[in-house]
Amino acid sequence: MLNVIIFLVGALIMFYMALRSVRARQQLRTKGVCVQATVSGTVQNRDGAAYVLEFTTAGGSHRLQYPKPAKGKPFAEGSVVTLYYDPDAPEKMFVEGDKSVLGAELLYAGIGVALLICLLYLFFGTELGCAIRATGANAAMSRAQGINIDRMKVIGLALSNGVVALSGGLMAQYQGFADINMGRGAIV
């Protein structure tokens, strides 16, 4: 039982981290300031290498340091990039086309899915999970073996609806809204 709780908590943390990153990026796109910035070079700061981005607004000329990803295609010095940032909190920024941010979000979501699959694999290896699988395969034989098939059907439906609710919640968080007709007409 402890393994199940650990895997569930781990999966939820990974999904939360991915959603938090996506929501922060969407919030910067909708409520942040969008400017065209020039990459003027790189500097070394306490967090590692960073690009120096220069841009001008009505408030004057600005310089921000944007973290340089360890992998991926670097921005060329002198190139112009689209920068979204929060003027009240300049540390919150996002450069359009930075693949490292998307890679981190996909990594978090992938780890969450893997943990969820491991959780279900562990669950279906238990006595209750085996009873659910047996009921799904042959209800008459399961009843003959003394399994309460009505209870197994309810538990199976509860599990499947829980996974559907999780995916629907993730979809609504990602899109930023929920609609009663979302997913209508989709065949799985």
Side-chain angles (χ1 to χ4, degrees):
M1 185 63 181
L2 185 61
N3 290 343
V4 171
I5 292 171
I6 290 171
F7 277 109
L8 184 61
V9 168
L12 291 175
I13 289 171
M14 289 295 120
F15 285 129
Y16 170 74
M17 289 173 65
L19 283 176
R20 185 181 68 176
S21 178
V22 169
R23 294 293 291 168
R25 202 164 28 107
Q26 284 180 344
Q27 187 175 18
L28 282 175
R29 281 188 177 147
T30 57
K31 296 180 182 172
V33 177
C34 177
V35 295
Q36 297 297 317
T38 305
V39 179
S40 63
T42 58
V43 294
Q44 192 70 26
N45 60 18
R46 64 184 168 93
D47 297 326
Y51 293 111
V52 176
L53 304 176
E54 296 180 345
F55 58 94
T56 305
T57 63
S61 181
H62 304 283
R63 291 172 59 122
L64 290 178
Q65 292 182 6
Y66 185 76
K68 185 176 182 181
K71 293 183 178 178
K73 184 178 176 187
F75 298 123
E77 191 170 331
S79 64
V80 177
V81 296
T82 303
L83 173 70
Y84 296 94
Y85 77 101
D86 184 357
D88 299 327
E91 68 276 359
K92 295 179 182 176
M93 64 182 109
F94 170 69
V95 172
E96 189 72 40
D98 186 3
K99 303 294 184 201
S100 64
V101 175
L102 180 62
E105 293 166 357
L106 291 176
L107 177 68
Y108 294 144
I111 291 173
V113 168
L115 287 174
L116 193 59
I117 289 171
C118 287
L119 171 77
L120 289 173
Y121 179 78
L122 286 174
F123 174 74
F124 284 118
T126 64
E127 187 176 339
L128 179 63
C130 188
I132 290 172
R133 288 186 301 147
T135 301
N138 190 342
M141 186 63 173
S142 299
R143 180 177 291 140
Q145 292 292 326
I147 297 173
N148 184 351
I149 63 168
D150 292 331
R151 191 175 94 186
M152 294 304 119
K153 288 179 183 177
V154 168
I155 292 172
L157 284 171
L159 282 174
S160 65
N161 287 335
V163 172
V164 168
L166 176 67
S167 65
L170 290 173
M171 185 69 166
Q173 288 264 337
Y174 180 75
Q175 291 185 342
F177 71 95
D179 183 16
I180 193 69
N181 292 320
M182 287 175 66
R184 190 168 167 210
I187 299 175
V188 179

